[in-house]
Amino acid sequence: MLREEKADGTPLGIEADSLTRGGNLVGDKIINSVVAAWLSKQGGDGFVFDGYPRTLGQAEALEQMLADRKQPLDVVLLLEADITTLRSRVENRATCKACGNIVSIGLQVADASANCPRCGGVLIRRVDDNAETLERRFAEYAEKTAPLISYYEKRQLLHRVNTERLPEQVFAEVCQILN
Ligand SMILES: [Zn+2]
């Protein structure tokens, strides 16, 4: 959503972009505004957020927004992996400039000079994909996001998914939970 706001050149997008470039997470106020704007355009069929909410302030705002829509939250997924696994994923991740496809170097493509397996576009590393950014994000996660685990456990919505397995196995378990 933030990348769309940025591509559209909205004030929210520009502000968010300057923050994410420095590897920082964007503040609750901006994120909640982006989500509220997006939600106002959705019908009642349901949706999945990826990477939101990330703080208690966001979780509380989401709870209020969903209550206003009379559309309560059904499921919260916690996709877990060890920090060493996350380091290796970040080091090997590239994004297609043309279609936005995310690939793992050494897995879907042989090396960083390969083209996108989906559309043939050029693969680039995101500027915020590096070890230093990951360490900062991880510290921020421990401080701000980890408290959401007990927040959603109390509401009996949390499902933990071990992602240290093949993507197909993780996907199958996520589908099973959602179904
Ligand atoms: Zn592509």
Side-chain angles (χ1 to χ4, degrees):
M1 284 185 213
L2 286 174
R3 286 189 199 117
E4 268 172 38
E5 293 279 340
K6 181 195 153 194
D8 293 345
T10 67
L12 277 175
I14 291 162
E15 195 174 344
D17 184 50
S18 71
L19 290 167
T20 50
R21 268 177 195 281
N24 297 305
L25 292 177
V26 180
D28 286 356
K29 208 172 148 216
I30 295 177
I31 296 284
N32 290 331
S33 303
V34 170
V35 171
W38 183 87
L39 268 178
S40 70
K41 291 180 248 162
Q42 307 306 312
D45 288 347
F47 36 79
V48 175
F49 288 121
D50 173 11
Y52 175 87
R54 274 196 225 257
T55 66
L56 282 174
Q58 291 172 18
E60 282 158 6
L62 177 66
E63 201 161 70
Q64 188 57 54
M65 286 187 261
L66 294 179
D68 291 346
R69 292 171 65 93
K70 299 191 175 22
Q71 194 172 27
L73 196 56
D74 296 311
V75 172
V76 175
L77 295 172
L78 175 62
L79 304 181
E80 296 184 294
D82 193 78
I83 183 72
T84 50
T85 306
L86 298 178
R87 274 192 202 109
S88 116
R89 286 181 189 167
V90 163
E91 278 159 19
N92 294 307
R93 185 164 63 173
T95 310
C96 173
K97 212 174 163 181
C99 75
N101 189 20
I102 294 169
V103 299
S104 185
I105 297 161
L107 205 64
Q108 286 112 323
V109 296
D111 56 63
S113 66
N115 285 20
C116 172
R118 191 159 78 188
C119 78
V122 177
L123 295 178
I124 48 164
R125 302 285 314 279
R126 267 166 52 183
V127 282
D128 58 353
D129 269 353
N130 60 60
E132 195 192 319
T133 301
L134 177 69
E135 299 311 320
R136 200 166 347 135
R137 285 241 169 102
F138 200 69
E140 226 170 342
Y141 170 85
E143 186 198 331
K144 295 179 182 168
T145 308
L148 292 182
I149 296 171
S150 61
Y151 179 89
Y152 285 121
E153 267 174 348
K154 273 184 210 141
R155 286 159 175 74
Q156 299 188 315
L157 294 170
L158 192 83
H159 295 258
R160 291 170 184 269
V161 179
N162 172 16
T163 71
E164 306 252 7
R165 295 173 295 165
L166 291 171
E168 295 76 18
Q169 293 172 316
V170 174
F171 181 69
E173 188 177 339
V174 167
C175 289
Q176 199 183 7
I177 293 166
L178 296 184
N179 287 334

